[in-house]
Each structure stands twice: as structure tokens, then as C-alpha cells.
Amino acid sequence: MGGTQQPRLRSTRRTPEYTAGAPLAVGIGSWAMWVLMFPVLRVGFGGTEDRDTWICGGLLVLCVLVARPMVRTVAPERLKGKRLLVAARAVGLCGVVGAVMASLDAEVTEHPVAGWTVIYATTAAVLGLLRIADHGYFPLVLLGTALWKGLLAGVTGYWIHDTGGTLLPGPSDSSAGTLLLAVLWWSLAGLSAGCAVAAAPRLVRWLRTGPPPGTAPPGVTSWPPAAGEVWTAEITHEDDTYKERPVVVLERTPDFVRALRVTSVDKSERPRGYLKVRPEEWKGVLTKGGWLGLEITHVPYCDFLWRRGECPDRVWDELCGKADVRERPAKAGPAPGFLPAPAAVGDERSRRP
């Protein structure tokens, strides 16, 4: 069966990257950043000696080098090779930490533990927002995270207010518990606001045009799907359930991918609508035999899971010249094949990686 799948705004899929050591890395990294930035704020760049300027510049460079591994730790695999982006994020993290330390000013010197605690919370919040922005492909998941964090922030704020505390305590005249509660509230509020800001434009785009083709779904490293490739995708069935199926990519569009899906159900009684899949010909791509349907299915980008390999040359050439490959809209009836002429077939085939 062909047809058009509606993109799902919510998914139970989770990113495979799991950073169990992130809290320890953030703790060590934020402490190192606090140590490096402290003399910069004390000395500053306005000194009369050039040596002070060079020392401050060197310390800031070291601070960026410390921030870079933390940024890479929370980044998905597809972004770890983009060095300029990672470096820019590290510079931004150092800028936020420096601004917070400058706002604390003398309290950083008089209460170093409290100052480091604030820096730790700030660093964790910034890295959390980066991770949410990178992995928050599904807008309703982002909105759910924003709602949950906002609820926690509301409960924490009510408790602080009910016990006579304040959300802006002074480090010099506040207890450690009061300061930690205030830091927790600001971190939760920042994460909630960041999730909401990231989700709103994505939700509007999904409702208008479907999921973005330029952003890879969580856990997908090879992107986007190219003509002639075989992918595993979540396919919609008539009862509105989803099942993972191999698909052969025919063509990309701005909103979805035209593909043919492989089924393990015996279709020998319908030889014109299906091609027999022989495992020996699809070795390394498919693990068992089946049937390749010849009706085009519109698969949203968010439903692609991982790349299996490439369609065998003989099968691809047969698909390109087969008249049974048709797109069947609900009202327009049968449509032309996915490629109009053999020349166009050759051009599309040449673009396969």
C-alpha cells in the first residue's frame, strides 16, 4: 500500500548518546573555569603593564579549552566533527560564566564555595540548553520538558516564598541552603524557558510544512537519505500503528521522502505490484528475503531511523524503468513514475554516494 504518512509531533525514540559522566565533567570543568577566570576579573585588561594583558588573555584561552570538552560531551555525534561550532559554543559558555562571575564580584572572593556553586549551576544550565536544542527534534517532547521543568520551578519557588526565602539572595548574608535553592530555581526556570523558546518555532514549522529535512532526527548520523539508499523507517499501517520496515529511497522533497517499502509478507500472487527480494543479492543490506512494493510511500523525515546500505544496481535499474512504479494520490488517481526518462534516471543514480 502506498500513501502519505502524517509526521508525528511526538516520538518515544530516545537519542543513543548517554553521558553518565556529564555531572562529574561539569563539576570539574566549572571549578577549573572558576579558577581561571578569578584572576582575570581581579586584574582585568585595563592594567598599565602589558604582562597583565597577556596573562589575562592566556587564562581566557585556557578557559575556552576547558569548556570545549564539556560542550563536546553533551553534543550529539553528528556535531562533534564540526570544530568551529563546538569552539563557538565553548566561547559562548565562557562568556556566560564570566558575566555571572562579574555580577557576583566581591562575593566570589569572600565566599568561594557559594561562587563555585553558582558557576556550576550556570554551566549545567547552559550545557543543558545546548543538549535540548540538539536533541529536541520533536517539538511536543520539547514542550513536555518545558512544562515539567516549569512545574518543578513553580513548586520550588512557592516553597522558597512560603519559608520566607528569596529568589535573589546575597551570598554574603545568606545561608548555603538558601543560596542553593535560589540557584536551583533559576536553573529550572532557565531550562523551562529555553525548551519553550526552542519548541515554539519548530512546532509552527511542523504544523505548516512537516519536520525539517535539514536536521537529523535523534541518533541518526548519516543524513539526509539519498536516492538509491536503503533505510529502516517507521511505517504507518492502516490501523494507525507503526512498525520498522526497510525502505528504498527514490527522491527527496522539502517535506517528505518518496520511498518503496520492503515487506516480509508473501506477495507471490501479485507479481506486478512487487519485486522479489533475494537475500544473496541484498547481502549486507537486508537480513532476509521478502517483497519490494512498487507503490510509492511518502515517509516524513522524522520517521527515518538508520541507513542500511544501497539498493543493488540491478534492482535499481529495474525500478527506474518499470512502469508499475506509480504514485497514487487519493483523488488524482495514478501519477507518472518517479523519474520521467532514462537520462534523468542516470543523473539521479550518479548522485548516489
Side-chain angles (χ1 to χ4, degrees):
M1 297 286 295
T4 299
Q5 291 187 199
Q6 295 300 319
R8 288 167 293 155
L9 296 176
R10 178 178 291 277
S11 175
T12 58
R13 197 186 329 162
R14 292 293 180 263
T15 174
E17 300 99 353
Y18 178 70
T19 54
L24 179 61
V26 172
I28 297 175
S30 58
W31 175 82
M33 294 173 66
W34 182 85
V35 171
L36 292 172
M37 282 197 174
F38 177 77
V40 176
L41 294 176
R42 296 297 92 187
V43 177
F45 287 90
T48 57
E49 297 184 9
D50 293 338
R51 182 185 62 181
D52 295 341
T53 301
W54 283 104
I55 292 176
C56 291
L59 291 175
L60 289 179
V61 172
L62 290 176
C63 188
V64 173
L65 294 178
V66 169
R68 187 174 180 274
M70 292 192 291
V71 172
R72 291 188 75 253
T73 299
V74 301
E77 290 293 335
R78 67 179 185 273
L79 296 183
K80 291 184 178 180
K82 299 183 178 181
R83 299 180 179 179
L84 290 179
L85 177 61
V86 173
R89 290 183 171 186
V91 173
L93 175 59
C94 291
V96 173
V97 171
V100 172
M101 290 186 65
S103 64
L104 293 176
D105 197 18
E107 285 81 358
V108 175
T109 306
E110 299 175 2
H111 303 274
V113 176
W116 172 80
T117 302
V118 174
I119 300 306
Y120 177 86
T122 302
T123 304
V126 172
L127 295 177
L129 288 175
L130 291 176
R131 186 170 177 81
I132 288 170
D134 292 335
H135 295 85
Y137 185 81
F138 299 94
L140 288 189
V141 175
L142 271 179
L143 287 178
T145 303
L147 180 62
W148 174 243
K149 299 297 183 184
L151 180 62
L152 290 178
V155 172
T156 304
Y158 175 80
W159 186 35
I160 293 174
H161 177 75
D162 187 61
T163 56
T166 177
L167 298 178
L168 295 172
S172 58
D173 55 0
S174 300
S175 63
T178 301
L179 184 62
L180 288 176
L181 285 176
V183 170
L184 175 62
W185 185 88
W186 282 103
S187 299
L188 290 174
L191 287 174
S192 177
C195 290
V197 170
R202 296 183 186 187
L203 180 60
V204 171
R205 177 168 182 175
W206 275 55
L207 294 176
R208 288 180 176 176
T209 62
T215 304
V220 179
T221 56
S222 175
W223 193 258
E229 293 182 344
V230 181
W231 282 68
T232 294
E234 292 180 336
I235 299 299
T236 308
H237 292 281
E238 288 75 7
D239 57 355
D240 204 27
T241 59
Y242 296 88
K243 190 171 183 180
E244 296 181 5
R245 293 290 187 189
V247 297
V248 177
V249 177
L250 300 180
E251 183 185 11
R252 293 199 306 262
T253 73
D255 303 329
F256 54 82
V257 174
R258 293 188 175 95
L260 304 178
R261 46 184 174 172
V262 179
T263 179
S264 57
V265 180
D266 184 16
K267 299 293 183 180
S268 55
E269 76 281 0
R270 298 180 58 187
R272 292 196 60 186
Y274 293 86
L275 289 180
K276 178 67 176 176
V277 173
R278 299 178 176 85
E280 61 274 9
E281 190 174 23
W282 296 73
K283 187 176 181 180
V285 181
L286 300 177
T287 57
K288 60 181 181 180
W291 296 84
L292 175 63
L294 300 181
E295 272 194 24
I296 296 175
T297 299
H298 294 177
V299 183
Y301 286 96
C302 60
D303 288 341
F304 283 88
L305 300 179
W306 67 84
R307 182 182 183 275
R308 287 175 168 265
E310 292 193 3
C311 179
D313 291 340
R314 184 197 66 80
V315 178
W316 180 261
D317 293 338
E318 184 175 356
L319 288 175
C320 292
K322 200 170 185 63
D324 289 343
V325 178
R326 289 292 184 266
E327 194 172 12
R328 302 181 185 274
K331 297 181 179 180
F338 66 97
L339 290 173
V345 172
D347 295 340
E348 183 72 18
R349 181 68 173 177
S350 64
R351 289 196 291 269
R352 291 176 54 190

